[in-house]
Amino acid sequence: MKVIDTHCDALLKLQIGMREGSELNYENAESIDTNLNRLKKGNVMVQFYAIFIEPNLPSDEKWQHAMEQIDLFYSEVLGKHSEIKHIKNWSEISQLKEEEIGAVLTLEGADAIGNSLVKLRHLYRLGILSIGLTWNNANLCADGVGEPRGGGLTTLGKEVVSLNNENRVWTDVSHLSVRSFWDVMELADYPFASHSNARAICDHRRNLGDDQIKAIFEKNGLIHLVFNPPFINDQKKTATIPDLIKHIDHLCALGGEKQIGFGSDFDGITTFVKGIENASKYPALINELLKHFSEEQVKGFAYKNFLAHLPK
Ligand SMILES: [Zn+2]
């Protein structure tokens, strides 16, 4: 069964390798959970690639880091593998051939643009199709979930959301503070949690409360489940597929059967759900899900729900 995975951090690993002078081969690097061979083995049809910038970097170096990651996306991920196709418009997903893998570029935290909408417009031109205003830290757009001030969106952050709407780009709520979340929900045409779970099942700040989950579903948004054990299972460094299914059951009970999917966070996580240690293991997850849900439901989670909610 095909899979659409809406979050991974492979570009950061490629960038670290490049900066350290030990370049990684995207086709088969053992250290890359979403390397090409693993995507193929996992039947991944579309993989999202986040640009993630370390919050501690000096502000004037962040744009350079974003450019390096995008450069590696073009040169290493796309440039060396003709079977990986850059999805720059949502309509291009339906043009993928059977053996092709779609690659979507996303921004995890708007730190890199500083206060420059010129930089933002360049990112749209380079093909960014999903933007989370923050990672855990605060920036000029909004407060993230780790900022104790608990503020919401700035005027700049609101402008970014309205440009996302104009450009048919998702506004990703996964790392936002609670107040930022509600500000986004008021403004965003395309709200999206690319890698978050349910707080009622695992009470972690990175997860969404029931009121937040219902608000996303009511606005025709999507929630993609993350495979990071600390977000699945209270206080545990490991989790099982049945633990993950508890989140799926909960989201379905809140009306999300047709609005949920997967956003693994591979290459950004260091502990794993037992049996899903990298992208090649998706078939094992699918097989387990088929024991609990109908084939049509599992197809929905795996890729169809996303395709049914593409920004238009
Ligand atoms: Zn993240």
Side-chain angles (χ1 to χ4, degrees):
M1 191 181 291
K2 292 175 191 170
V3 168
I4 293 178
D5 183 325
T6 58
H7 193 86
C8 85
D9 286 307
L11 299 182
L12 178 64
K13 283 188 177 171
L14 288 172
Q15 187 199 17
I16 291 169
M18 187 266 294
R19 283 194 161 234
E20 289 175 349
S22 54
E23 278 162 33
L24 296 167
N25 182 345
Y26 186 67
E27 187 174 347
N28 57 17
E30 182 59 33
S31 61
I32 299 184
D33 306 330
T34 57
N35 72 35
L36 177 58
N37 287 347
R38 286 172 169 156
L39 293 180
K40 284 181 183 167
K41 220 174 147 197
N43 242 326
V44 175
M45 167 202 193
V46 178
Q47 178 65 55
F48 283 41
Y49 295 85
I51 299 159
F52 169 75
I53 311 295
E54 295 285 353
N56 301 334
L57 280 176
S59 297
D60 59 354
E61 291 177 24
K62 290 183 175 181
W63 179 248
Q64 171 67 19
H65 278 249
M67 289 298 105
E68 285 177 11
Q69 290 184 27
I70 295 173
D71 187 46
L72 289 161
F73 175 75
Y74 275 92
S75 62
E76 297 300 313
V77 178
L78 301 172
K80 292 185 178 163
H81 309 101
S82 57
E83 61 270 65
I84 304 183
K85 297 288 176 202
H86 188 189
I87 304 295
K88 289 204 221 80
N89 287 296
W90 295 115
S91 61
E92 290 168 354
I93 294 184
S94 64
Q95 293 157 21
L96 287 172
K97 298 194 187 91
E98 195 57 36
E99 70 284 3
E100 290 175 339
I101 296 169
V104 173
L105 198 52
T106 74
L107 184 66
E108 184 173 34
D111 302 30
I113 66 162
N115 68 346
S116 169
L117 295 178
V118 170
K119 287 179 177 169
L120 178 67
R121 283 193 285 272
H122 278 301
L123 293 181
Y124 290 134
R125 289 180 194 117
L126 288 166
I128 299 260
L129 288 182
S130 175
I131 295 181
L133 294 177
T134 69
W135 187 62
N136 294 334
N137 54 300
N139 59 32
L140 295 177
C141 289
D143 279 5
V145 71
E147 168 56 54
R149 168 176 63 180
L153 265 55
T154 62
T155 303
L156 176 69
K158 289 177 183 174
E159 281 182 72
V160 174
V161 175
S162 95
L163 286 169
N164 282 351
N165 293 345
E166 265 177 45
N167 287 281
R168 300 196 306 144
V169 164
W170 292 104
T171 300
D172 188 345
V173 301
S174 273
H175 281 271
L176 293 178
S177 72
V178 171
R179 189 149 160 225
S180 295
F181 172 91
W182 290 109
D183 285 350
V184 164
M185 291 311 293
E186 215 166 277
L187 300 169
D189 291 341
Y190 311 111
F192 175 44
S194 69
H195 58 308
S196 290
N197 293 339
R199 202 153 186 171
I201 305 296
C202 175
D203 188 12
H204 190 288
R205 67 181 190 180
R206 274 279 286 102
N207 288 341
L208 298 162
D210 286 0
D211 51 346
Q212 295 177 303
I213 291 166
K214 282 189 219 156
I216 292 174
F217 292 156
E218 271 161 27
K219 250 193 134 170
N220 220 14
L222 293 162
I223 298 175
H224 279 225
L225 293 147
V226 54
F227 300 166
N228 192 21
F231 305 165
I232 295 172
N233 213 342
D234 288 340
Q235 311 300 330
K236 288 188 189 158
K237 286 213 170 91
T238 176
T240 62
I241 293 174
D243 293 331
L244 190 62
I245 289 175
K246 285 183 201 158
H247 290 268
I248 298 178
D249 279 336
H250 187 75
L251 291 168
C252 288
L254 294 175
E257 186 190 318
K258 294 194 183 315
Q259 286 169 267
I260 61 173
F262 306 125
S264 64
D265 210 356
F266 284 137
D267 294 312
I269 55 178
T270 49
T271 54
F272 300 94
V273 175
K274 245 181 137 192
I276 6 179
E277 291 81 8
N278 59 58
S280 76
K281 305 294 182 75
Y282 263 115
L285 172 64
I286 301 294
N287 283 339
E288 228 19 69
L289 292 177
L290 286 169
K291 294 178 191 166
H292 295 81
F293 302 97
S294 72
E295 193 178 342
E296 216 32 55
Q297 283 174 311
V298 179
K299 273 189 184 162
F301 308 155
Y303 67 99
K304 279 192 161 179
N305 291 348
F306 187 85
L307 295 181
H309 289 83
L310 293 174
K312 42 179 168 258

